[in-house]
Amino acid sequence: MREKLKVVSSTPAFSGVVAGLAGVVFVLLRLGIVAHWNPGVFAVVGRVFAIPSQVPHGIPVIPGTGYDGEFYLRLAYDPFDYATRAFGITFNASYRLQRVVYPFLSWLAAGGQAGAVPWSLIWVNVAALAATGYFGARLASEMGRPAVWGVVVAGYFGFLFTIGRDTAEVVAIALMVAALVALRQGKVVIAGVVLAAAVLTRETMALVPLALGIVRLAEILKDRKGQLRVKSTDAAWAIPGVVFLAWQAVIYLITGKVPFHSDARTNLGTPFVAMAGAIARYVPEALHGELAPAIWVVELVGLAVVVIWGLFGLRGSSRPYEKVAFALSLVMAVSLAGGIWYGQADFRSLASVYVLAVIVGMGGRRRALQPVILAGLAALWLVTFVHRVTFL
């Protein structure tokens, strides 16, 4: 029996199943405890951007601004309708339209039926969590590590917030990890197409094609002949780049606004300023015994440990573009605006930092502290699980 369990746990499917089951348990508990079996609660639709009488039946509308999930819900009802207001929900910024893949997949999963959309938003995220575990395991195997590491790749505590609030980070990461597997297998066109989908899920996934482009540029500069030659591998970064720019143009023609410009203006700021301010605010509050700030601080420390582990792995066997993408993710993280650093959202916006740090760390040679790190991450995930199951 023990040998059979060992064989089963060494397969990518095992990691996918474990991650998926964790997502299912979280969703069922959250539905029962907080949502009273109404999936529309997950989107957190607020009166500031929604007209209660026009919102589809069964979707509760609460006082205040609501949360990002309301805009994914709006697109999932009809991912081809880009009017400023539809289904009673108004877009607060044009960059919402560039994050179209998650609501599109949810619309497909719902069969275009409006009543099924609140459910499909939830279960698409759970499926993406399972996919992250599966492809994370395949990536670990490609790197010569046990496939069970896929559970670690999918084990980011911030994914629980994402699933509980109908946001797109899990889908984006699943696509990114799948693309990294395709790249290692030499399937560059498939990787390019999947990365394009990832970028249209969350624009932060552009870090990977950008890293591929940087590595390619370095190769050109090192070429003694200095000749620019197009290679088939260029498809991996060119396809997502072209798709992203084309989609920006489409949205501009529809709305008259460049979505990435409003995105950068809203979500980026002077490096380290917002991060330092948030630390200065939440650490004293945590020391005074306030629960939410204390969890924020512990999560930041946990993420920092994973980042340090990843930094030690930079001299390891991970691919150059994975290392560059990890470095770019750190630059992005310290440059995020206050609206992200001050939000107590389990650092969902830093999912790419965690996953890339794990991937680079897996390729490193420093393995003595890995059991301690993994035990700490498991404990942190459980704390976040309990906290987010009951969080409205």
Side-chain angles (χ1 to χ4, degrees):
M1 179 64 72
R2 183 176 298 178
E3 288 299 321
K4 289 183 178 180
L5 289 174
K6 186 176 181 179
V7 171
V8 170
S9 65
S10 65
T11 63
F14 175 81
S15 293
V17 169
V18 170
L21 285 177
V24 169
V25 171
F26 175 76
V27 165
L28 292 178
L29 287 173
R30 186 165 167 77
L31 277 170
I33 295 173
V34 175
H36 303 293
W37 304 104
N38 181 352
V41 171
F42 280 46
V44 190
V45 179
R47 288 181 179 271
V48 172
F49 299 113
I51 301 173
S53 61
Q54 297 179 12
V55 172
H57 176 72
I59 303 299
V61 180
I62 65 173
T65 58
Y67 203 70
D68 291 3
E70 63 190 325
F71 305 112
Y72 292 111
L73 175 70
R74 151 69 180 83
L75 272 177
Y77 279 125
D78 187 349
F80 306 102
D81 184 347
Y82 304 121
T84 302
R85 177 186 295 166
F87 304 98
I89 299 173
T90 302
F91 287 122
N92 66 338
S94 61
Y95 68 80
R96 302 292 182 184
L97 294 171
Q98 71 186 5
R99 304 172 180 178
V100 71
V101 169
Y102 168 49
F104 177 73
L105 292 175
S106 299
W107 174 80
L108 281 180
Q113 301 299 311
V117 163
W119 288 106
S120 65
L121 283 165
I122 295 170
W123 296 119
V124 164
N125 263 339
V126 172
L129 187 67
T132 301
Y134 173 78
F135 286 110
R138 290 188 59 179
L139 186 61
S141 297
E142 290 283 337
M143 300 174 71
R145 304 303 301 276
V148 73
W149 274 88
V151 177
V152 183
V153 176
Y156 183 47
F157 49 82
F159 288 155
L160 296 171
F161 190 97
T162 289
I163 295 172
R165 288 290 188 89
D166 286 349
T167 61
E169 288 76 19
V170 184
V171 173
I173 290 297
L175 291 167
M176 182 190 79
V177 177
L180 292 176
V181 172
L183 282 170
R184 282 181 170 265
Q185 296 178 342
K187 301 175 182 177
V188 292
V189 174
I190 293 176
V193 172
V194 175
L195 279 175
V199 171
L200 295 189
T201 305
R202 282 284 295 182
E203 59 282 355
T204 50
M205 297 301 105
L207 295 172
V208 176
L210 178 58
L212 287 164
I214 291 172
V215 171
R216 181 73 176 97
L217 178 60
E219 291 176 356
I220 294 172
L221 294 176
K222 287 181 180 180
D223 186 355
R224 294 181 180 179
K225 296 180 180 179
Q227 295 180 354
L228 177 59
R229 298 177 180 177
V230 177
K231 294 184 177 181
S232 60
T233 54
D234 290 334
W237 63 266
I239 292 174
V242 170
V243 169
F244 179 73
L245 291 176
W247 190 241
Q248 294 286 306
V250 168
I251 298 175
Y252 175 76
L253 291 175
I254 295 173
T255 67
K257 298 178 182 179
V258 179
F260 186 73
H261 177 262
S262 64
D263 183 12
R265 184 177 56 188
T266 302
N267 295 320
L268 294 177
T270 305
F272 297 103
V273 171
M275 180 180 72
I279 293 172
R281 171 182 173 178
Y282 289 134
V283 169
E285 291 178 357
L287 293 175
H288 280 85
E290 296 186 34
L291 178 60
I295 292 176
W296 186 94
V297 172
V298 172
E299 288 176 342
L300 179 62
V301 171
L303 183 58
V305 169
V306 176
V307 167
I308 293 171
W309 176 46
L311 290 173
F312 279 122
L314 285 173
R315 297 181 63 182
S317 60
S318 56
R319 298 293 171 84
Y321 54 81
E322 294 167 346
K323 298 174 184 178
V324 173
F326 173 43
L328 290 173
S329 73
L330 293 179
V331 174
M332 176 204 70
V334 300
S335 302
L336 291 174
I340 296 176
W341 273 105
Y342 283 88
Q344 294 178 4
D346 300 327
F347 298 100
R348 67 179 179 89
S349 296
L350 301 186
S352 59
V353 176
Y354 169 89
V355 172
L356 289 167
V358 170
I359 291 170
V360 175
M362 280 195 296
R365 300 175 181 176
R366 294 175 178 265
R367 302 181 181 181
L369 293 178
Q370 284 183 9
V372 176
I373 294 173
L374 295 179
L377 285 174
L380 182 54
W381 188 89
L382 287 172
V383 168
T384 307
F385 184 99
V386 172
H387 182 53
R388 289 306 172 193
V389 158
T390 59
F391 181 73
L392 181 61

PDB file of all heavy atoms in Angstrom, residues 32 41 108 185 221 253 273 289 303 314 369 385:
ATOM      1  N   GLY A  32     -21.303  27.802   2.454  1.00  0.00           N
ATOM      2  CA  GLY A  32     -22.205  27.475   3.549  1.00  0.00           C
ATOM      3  C   GLY A  32     -22.176  28.467   4.685  1.00  0.00           C
ATOM      4  O   GLY A  32     -23.215  28.811   5.255  1.00  0.00           O
ATOM      5  N   VAL A  41     -22.618  36.070  -3.886  1.00  0.00           N
ATOM      6  CA  VAL A  41     -21.949  36.781  -2.788  1.00  0.00           C
ATOM      7  C   VAL A  41     -20.459  36.919  -3.065  1.00  0.00           C
ATOM      8  O   VAL A  41     -19.833  37.915  -2.684  1.00  0.00           O
ATOM      9  CB  VAL A  41     -22.195  36.047  -1.453  1.00  0.00           C
ATOM     10  CG1 VAL A  41     -21.324  36.626  -0.338  1.00  0.00           C
ATOM     11  CG2 VAL A  41     -23.665  36.124  -1.071  1.00  0.00           C
ATOM     12  N   LEU A 108     -18.141  30.664 -21.071  1.00  0.00           N
ATOM     13  CA  LEU A 108     -18.166  29.391 -21.778  1.00  0.00           C
ATOM     14  C   LEU A 108     -18.636  28.269 -20.858  1.00  0.00           C
ATOM     15  O   LEU A 108     -19.466  27.436 -21.243  1.00  0.00           O
ATOM     16  CB  LEU A 108     -16.772  29.058 -22.317  1.00  0.00           C
ATOM     17  CG  LEU A 108     -16.305  29.749 -23.593  1.00  0.00           C
ATOM     18  CD1 LEU A 108     -14.900  29.282 -23.936  1.00  0.00           C
ATOM     19  CD2 LEU A 108     -17.247  29.468 -24.754  1.00  0.00           C
ATOM     20  N   GLN A 185       9.475  22.081 -23.076  1.00  0.00           N
ATOM     21  CA  GLN A 185       9.308  20.969 -24.004  1.00  0.00           C
ATOM     22  C   GLN A 185       9.514  21.392 -25.460  1.00  0.00           C
ATOM     23  O   GLN A 185       9.311  20.587 -26.359  1.00  0.00           O
ATOM     24  CB  GLN A 185       7.920  20.350 -23.818  1.00  0.00           C
ATOM     25  CG  GLN A 185       7.724  19.720 -22.440  1.00  0.00           C
ATOM     26  CD  GLN A 185       6.337  19.147 -22.250  1.00  0.00           C
ATOM     27  OE1 GLN A 185       5.404  19.487 -22.981  1.00  0.00           O
ATOM     28  NE2 GLN A 185       6.184  18.277 -21.258  1.00  0.00           N
ATOM     29  N   LEU A 221      22.932  40.492 -28.666  1.00  0.00           N
ATOM     30  CA  LEU A 221      24.067  41.366 -28.347  1.00  0.00           C
ATOM     31  C   LEU A 221      25.355  40.576 -28.165  1.00  0.00           C
ATOM     32  O   LEU A 221      26.448  41.092 -28.428  1.00  0.00           O
ATOM     33  CB  LEU A 221      23.758  42.166 -27.076  1.00  0.00           C
ATOM     34  CG  LEU A 221      22.608  43.180 -27.191  1.00  0.00           C
ATOM     35  CD1 LEU A 221      22.341  43.833 -25.845  1.00  0.00           C
ATOM     36  CD2 LEU A 221      22.933  44.238 -28.240  1.00  0.00           C
ATOM     37  N   LEU A 253     -10.318  51.621 -29.669  1.00  0.00           N
ATOM     38  CA  LEU A 253     -11.306  51.949 -30.702  1.00  0.00           C
ATOM     39  C   LEU A 253     -12.719  51.937 -30.140  1.00  0.00           C
ATOM     40  O   LEU A 253     -13.584  52.699 -30.584  1.00  0.00           O
ATOM     41  CB  LEU A 253     -11.199  50.952 -31.860  1.00  0.00           C
ATOM     42  CG  LEU A 253      -9.917  51.046 -32.711  1.00  0.00           C
ATOM     43  CD1 LEU A 253      -9.876  49.924 -33.734  1.00  0.00           C
ATOM     44  CD2 LEU A 253      -9.841  52.412 -33.408  1.00  0.00           C
ATOM     45  N   VAL A 273       7.818  53.116  -1.905  1.00  0.00           N
ATOM     46  CA  VAL A 273       7.090  54.092  -1.088  1.00  0.00           C
ATOM     47  C   VAL A 273       5.849  53.467  -0.458  1.00  0.00           C
ATOM     48  O   VAL A 273       5.654  53.514   0.763  1.00  0.00           O
ATOM     49  CB  VAL A 273       6.708  55.332  -1.927  1.00  0.00           C
ATOM     50  CG1 VAL A 273       5.768  56.247  -1.125  1.00  0.00           C
ATOM     51  CG2 VAL A 273       7.942  56.098  -2.344  1.00  0.00           C
ATOM     52  N   GLY A 289      -2.012  43.745  18.740  1.00  0.00           N
ATOM     53  CA  GLY A 289      -2.934  42.617  18.837  1.00  0.00           C
ATOM     54  C   GLY A 289      -4.081  42.609  17.861  1.00  0.00           C
ATOM     55  O   GLY A 289      -5.009  41.805  18.013  1.00  0.00           O
ATOM     56  N   LEU A 303       5.996  35.391   2.539  1.00  0.00           N
ATOM     57  CA  LEU A 303       6.325  35.670   1.147  1.00  0.00           C
ATOM     58  C   LEU A 303       7.782  36.079   1.007  1.00  0.00           C
ATOM     59  O   LEU A 303       8.470  35.670   0.057  1.00  0.00           O
ATOM     60  CB  LEU A 303       5.408  36.773   0.614  1.00  0.00           C
ATOM     61  CG  LEU A 303       5.564  37.149  -0.862  1.00  0.00           C
ATOM     62  CD1 LEU A 303       5.347  35.933  -1.754  1.00  0.00           C
ATOM     63  CD2 LEU A 303       4.593  38.265  -1.227  1.00  0.00           C
ATOM     64  N   LEU A 314      18.972  31.566  -7.773  1.00  0.00           N
ATOM     65  CA  LEU A 314      19.295  32.215  -9.044  1.00  0.00           C
ATOM     66  C   LEU A 314      20.515  31.603  -9.733  1.00  0.00           C
ATOM     67  O   LEU A 314      20.677  31.732 -10.946  1.00  0.00           O
ATOM     68  CB  LEU A 314      19.527  33.715  -8.828  1.00  0.00           C
ATOM     69  CG  LEU A 314      18.255  34.547  -8.587  1.00  0.00           C
ATOM     70  CD1 LEU A 314      18.613  35.977  -8.227  1.00  0.00           C
ATOM     71  CD2 LEU A 314      17.344  34.511  -9.808  1.00  0.00           C
ATOM     72  N   LEU A 369      17.114  23.920   4.262  1.00  0.00           N
ATOM     73  CA  LEU A 369      16.021  24.567   4.978  1.00  0.00           C
ATOM     74  C   LEU A 369      14.666  24.363   4.321  1.00  0.00           C
ATOM     75  O   LEU A 369      13.657  24.860   4.826  1.00  0.00           O
ATOM     76  CB  LEU A 369      16.306  26.072   5.103  1.00  0.00           C
ATOM     77  CG  LEU A 369      17.484  26.464   5.996  1.00  0.00           C
ATOM     78  CD1 LEU A 369      17.669  27.975   5.975  1.00  0.00           C
ATOM     79  CD2 LEU A 369      17.266  25.982   7.421  1.00  0.00           C
ATOM     80  N   PHE A 385      -6.621  30.005   5.220  1.00  0.00           N
ATOM     81  CA  PHE A 385      -7.816  29.223   4.890  1.00  0.00           C
ATOM     82  C   PHE A 385      -8.926  29.488   5.907  1.00  0.00           C
ATOM     83  O   PHE A 385     -10.053  29.831   5.545  1.00  0.00           O
ATOM     84  CB  PHE A 385      -7.443  27.735   4.866  1.00  0.00           C
ATOM     85  CG  PHE A 385      -8.573  26.829   4.452  1.00  0.00           C
ATOM     86  CD1 PHE A 385      -8.647  26.356   3.161  1.00  0.00           C
ATOM     87  CD2 PHE A 385      -9.533  26.423   5.363  1.00  0.00           C
ATOM     88  CE1 PHE A 385      -9.676  25.496   2.761  1.00  0.00           C
ATOM     89  CE2 PHE A 385     -10.564  25.571   4.995  1.00  0.00           C
ATOM     90  CZ  PHE A 385     -10.639  25.121   3.690  1.00  0.00           C
TER      91      PHE A 385
END
